Amino acid sequence: MVTAKTKHQPEILEAVVIRFVGDSGDGMQLTGTQFSDTSAMFGNDIATFPNYPSEIRAPQGSLYGVSGFQVHIGSVEISTPGDNVDLLVAMNPAGLKTNLHAVKPGHTIIIDTDAFTKKNLEKAQYQTNPLEDGSLENYRVIEVAMSSLTKEALKDVEGLDNKSITRSKNMFALGMVYWMYDRSTQHTIDFFNKKFKSKPNIIEANTKVLNAGFYFAETLELIPNAYTITPAKMASGTYRIIMGNTATAWGFLAAAEKSGLELFLGSYPITPATDILHELVKHKHFGVKAFQAEDEIAGIASAIGASFAGDLAITTTSGPGLALKGEALGLAMMVELPLVVVNVQRGGPSTGLPTKTEQSDLLQALYGRNGESPVIVIAASTPANCFNYAYQAAKLALEHMTPVILLTDGYIANGSAPWKVKSVSEMPEIKNNIVKDVTENWHPYDRNEESLARNWAIPGTSGLEHRIGGLEKDKVTGNVSYVPENHEYMTKIRAEKVKRVQNYIPNLETEFAETGDLLVIGWGGTYGSLHSAVKQLNEEEGYKNIGFAHFNYINPLPKNTEEILTKFKKIVVCELNNGQFSKVLKMNFNGFEFLQYNKVQGLPFGNTELIEKFKQLVK
């Protein structure tokens, strides 16, 4: 085990933002994940932001082939991966060029000088070498021949080819960063021993390079001292770092356990939702039935069949897949069966930006079906609470006998944060409408008087035979009906059933200010950025008149939404789209002016840009 040894005590910092960048083959995601996990074990609060290229294997050294991983760790509350970077680790010229703008002046850049060849500089569209032309004079640049030092460290390790040696250089960079921020290397060494237990030479190689980077940083005069970030103060309990997609999968596992139903997933792989399928496949011992379908339509159709048979049924996708699932989703709404559709939003339209984040599927989720086809729409807002909202989506679908669309996005799905481990016994009760006792006067569209949820009659149960399908049903018998008045009645009662969900969801709450000059509104995965910006304005810059309201329930909206809106002079709706939620609010609440702040760049909001905008609005 290696621990930091310095002549002086490490300088204590509240928080630090670190970004690792390089080619997609340079292992930046693994490097960032290991640093995040180690810091989490140390007790820091954490938020991460992986940033992948869209191509499976972009040309090496190209600007659009850069893969990055940003981590924000702190002894204080951390709700975003951070804006400006304190330390940039650039493994090649392309990584430096595409990320230099994010580095704070005067802060540190670690560069692998071996990668700054004439060929790589040309690929990154540099006219001159930035290490020589003075363009980096505003930063503290640490030039390290990582590739050469990695080869030197591994010269005595047998059984390694040149490719394996070169691929280990990311561990040299990680070792340096571990020393700089007073982290132990032991967690990563344990990871090597577990992951490569059948390949002892790989364990030896990675361990040697990791330690070589650590000791190189310790002896390097360009790094005057180490820093440390003390553990954060969090509520007592057992924590783990969790990614949003993993949390979503676990939320469904908990819902299945709580409801006493088997979990069925019918899905087709699509970025960035596929990891939910990957995670649930691991848990067949919990009774999970995971079906990788031949296409998106088969995925949702199989889930509808599983719901008809009495399972907690879900299907997962992203924007293009949700478009394909539209007709079948309308069928599930028509026959009033419980179903959860997870849409992990990405940049669109069409194939768009498959590895980048966006919030542009909101109107599609609300209205992207033929006919009058309302469904419940909710949105998770952090990697950790993807667990809660997956659970809540299942609960609402089962208790109200209607489909639920759960919106997440690439930012929170691939991001990670500390999550306090929950017990199923702590979770809210989940009831269902499965018919237990067959009576002579039973009808398939008998409804709960309060929620309007219909019966859930499991096929094969004697006495519960009924018609099923996409044709309009009689309001009592469930037989096909073409009676005009019956169709109007069924259309209205399906809409009313969704509207009554207002009685089962929490009221909207504001943070920081209950009344004032400006109300900042967000929804879904923008929570961390907006919360952080408004918090800074209130607690550090003296703006006590700015409130923050974040929506997780989109259809229906919380009952008290209009009451909240009336308490502020100005309202600004912030979204990673061109204003879709502001349109929803305008349709529902007349007499209010909804200002907009929008960003459609495949990136989350930055703290600085939000703070500047909010200050302008309260002048």
Side-chain angles (χ1 to χ4, degrees):
M1 175 176 172
V2 178
T3 55
K5 299 176 183 178
T6 60
K7 295 179 182 179
H8 306 287
Q9 282 291 101
E11 180 182 341
I12 297 175
L13 303 175
E14 266 195 353
V16 67
V17 179
I18 301 169
R19 185 182 296 181
F20 300 91
V21 293
D23 269 320
S24 55
D26 285 338
M28 295 296 94
Q29 305 303 319
L30 174 62
T31 306
T33 299
Q34 284 300 306
F35 185 83
S36 303
D37 290 351
T38 297
S39 297
M41 292 185 70
F42 185 72
N44 297 133
D45 199 2
I46 286 176
T48 71
F49 179 43
N51 196 356
Y52 310 96
S54 297
E55 288 77 7
I56 293 173
R57 178 63 76 183
Q60 193 171 17
S62 63
L63 292 173
Y64 56 88
V66 175
S67 177
F69 190 103
Q70 183 162 311
V71 56
H72 189 186
I73 64 173
S75 58
V76 293
E77 180 189 14
I78 300 296
S79 56
T80 77
D83 267 11
N84 297 324
V85 175
D86 297 292
L87 171 65
L88 176 68
V89 179
M91 305 299 283
N92 65 3
L96 176 66
K97 185 162 191 176
T98 54
N99 291 276
L100 180 62
H101 64 91
V103 185
K104 299 173 185 175
H107 285 251
T108 305
I109 304 171
I110 298 176
I111 287 174
D112 179 11
T113 55
D114 287 332
F116 279 66
T117 62
K118 182 180 178 182
K119 184 178 181 180
N120 283 342
L121 289 167
E122 289 174 353
K123 288 181 180 178
Q125 299 176 19
Y126 273 114
Q127 302 300 316
T128 58
N129 189 336
L131 303 181
E132 300 171 353
D133 62 12
S135 59
L136 302 179
E137 62 183 13
N138 289 333
Y139 308 95
R140 186 171 60 165
V141 180
I142 301 173
E143 299 181 19
V144 185
M146 288 189 211
S147 300
S148 301
L149 290 168
T150 297
K151 290 177 182 177
E152 179 65 23
L154 299 181
K155 63 183 180 181
D156 296 326
V157 180
E158 297 180 357
L160 295 177
D161 56 25
N162 284 332
K163 185 177 181 181
S164 298
I165 292 172
T166 303
R167 287 177 65 182
S168 300
K169 67 182 179 181
N170 61 325
M171 289 299 109
F172 194 97
L174 181 60
M176 291 185 66
V177 178
Y178 275 158
W179 183 87
M180 289 180 67
Y181 292 100
D182 197 33
R183 311 281 98 161
S184 167
T185 61
Q186 190 58 51
H187 172 77
T188 299
I189 292 171
D190 292 341
F191 168 80
F192 297 153
N193 288 322
K194 182 178 180 181
K195 184 173 179 64
F196 304 114
K197 59 183 177 182
S198 62
K199 301 176 180 178
N201 61 330
I202 300 296
I203 295 173
E204 182 185 2
N206 281 286
T207 302
K208 276 194 167 187
V209 176
L210 182 71
N211 288 337
F214 187 96
Y215 288 123
F216 180 84
E218 185 181 41
T219 57
L220 189 67
E221 292 183 359
L222 288 173
I223 305 178
N225 62 330
Y227 306 93
T228 192
I229 298 92
T230 57
K233 295 178 181 178
M234 294 189 280
S236 61
T238 302
Y239 287 82
R240 63 152 289 166
I241 290 292
I242 198 166
M243 292 179 66
N245 275 339
T246 303
T248 301
W250 288 12
F252 289 128
L253 289 171
E257 177 72 20
K258 192 74 171 184
S259 64
L261 302 177
E262 291 189 345
L263 179 61
F264 178 90
L265 168 65
S267 187
Y268 181 75
I270 184 171
T271 302
T274 307
D275 282 341
I276 302 173
L277 169 63
H278 291 166
E279 183 62 29
L280 286 175
V281 165
K282 301 175 186 176
H283 300 290
K284 293 181 179 179
H285 54 285
F286 286 139
V288 175
K289 292 171 284 190
F291 169 54
Q292 181 174 318
E294 64 268 29
D295 56 39
E296 295 281 3
I297 299 171
I300 188 172
S302 65
I304 293 171
S307 176
F308 181 52
D311 283 355
L312 169 54
I314 63 175
T315 185
T316 56
T317 191
S318 190
L322 185 62
L324 291 168
K325 293 180 189 293
E327 183 181 1
L329 181 55
L331 171 63
M333 189 282 307
M334 185 72 166
V335 298
E336 300 186 55
L337 284 172
L339 174 73
V340 180
V341 180
V342 182
N343 176 14
V344 185
Q345 299 169 95
R346 70 190 207 187
S350 187
T351 309
L353 303 173
T355 62
K356 311 301 180 184
T357 196
E358 207 164 277
Q359 291 184 298
S360 53
D361 296 343
L362 179 61
L363 295 181
Q364 179 188 21
L366 289 168
Y367 307 116
R369 295 165 295 284
N370 65 297
E372 296 289 340
S373 187
V375 299
I376 300 169
V377 179
I378 67 176
S381 49
T382 70
N385 78 20
C386 284
F387 176 91
N388 303 74
Y389 286 102
Y391 186 94
Q392 182 71 352
K395 176 178 168 67
L396 291 173
L398 293 171
E399 294 184 348
H400 296 271
M401 291 296 288
T402 194
V404 176
I405 295 178
L406 170 61
L407 297 172
T408 71
D409 57 58
Y411 172 47
I412 59 175
N414 291 321
S416 59
W419 174 68
K420 187 178 179 181
V421 177
K422 300 178 184 291
S423 167
V424 172
S425 62
E426 301 173 39
M427 303 302 292
E429 180 185 8
I430 296 180
K431 302 175 182 178
N432 60 57
N433 294 278
I434 294 176
V435 180
K436 301 275 195 313
D437 302 313
V438 181
T439 60
E440 288 186 12
N441 61 347
W442 174 83
H443 300 104
Y445 284 89
D446 290 339
R447 297 180 183 275
N448 179 289
E449 290 184 3
E450 293 183 0
S451 68
L452 298 181
R454 81 169 183 93
N455 289 313
W456 194 3
I458 306 304
T461 306
S462 178
L464 299 185
E465 297 84 359
H466 63 287
R467 297 286 293 271
I468 199 81
L471 291 171
E472 185 62 276
K473 303 295 183 294
D474 180 82
K475 63 184 180 181
V476 178
T477 66
N479 294 328
V480 173
S481 172
Y482 293 102
V483 177
E485 292 79 9
N486 179 80
H487 174 55
E488 185 170 21
Y489 173 87
M490 292 295 278
T491 298
K492 289 182 176 179
I493 205 164
R494 287 188 291 260
E496 178 64 21
K497 179 175 66 169
V498 172
K499 184 179 180 182
R500 288 195 185 184
V501 171
Q502 281 187 327
N503 299 325
Y504 301 85
I505 61 175
N507 277 340
L508 182 66
E509 295 182 355
T510 57
E511 296 184 67
F512 306 111
E514 294 183 0
T515 183
D517 292 336
L518 179 65
L519 177 64
V520 175
I521 286 179
W523 68 274
T526 57
Y527 174 82
S529 303
L530 298 174
H531 178 272
S532 179
V534 179
K535 180 181 180 182
Q536 184 175 330
L537 284 169
N538 273 270
E539 297 183 2
E540 298 178 24
E541 303 196 28
Y543 289 82
K544 302 297 184 184
N545 55 349
I546 301 178
F548 173 46
H550 202 78
F551 286 80
N552 295 103
Y553 296 91
I554 311 295
N555 192 38
L557 293 163
K559 265 186 174 182
N560 67 326
T561 300
E562 186 168 8
E563 178 188 346
I564 295 292
L565 298 177
T566 61
K567 295 181 178 180
F568 292 85
K569 295 176 183 177
K570 290 183 180 180
I571 302 166
V572 60
V573 185
C574 305
E575 307 177 70
L576 300 179
N577 58 44
N578 274 338
Q580 296 188 17
F581 189 53
S582 66
K583 290 183 174 67
V584 172
L585 292 173
K586 288 172 186 174
M587 284 190 292
N588 283 276
F589 305 105
N590 295 321
F592 295 94
E593 181 183 7
F594 294 99
L595 305 173
Q596 295 177 212
Y597 186 63
N598 304 107
K599 183 175 181 177
V600 195
Q601 300 177 11
L603 296 169
F605 285 121
N607 238 38
T608 303
E609 61 183 305
L610 290 171
I611 288 171
E612 288 178 359
K613 178 65 177 180
F614 301 156
K615 284 181 176 180
Q616 291 172 9
L617 292 174
V618 293
K619 279 183 178 178

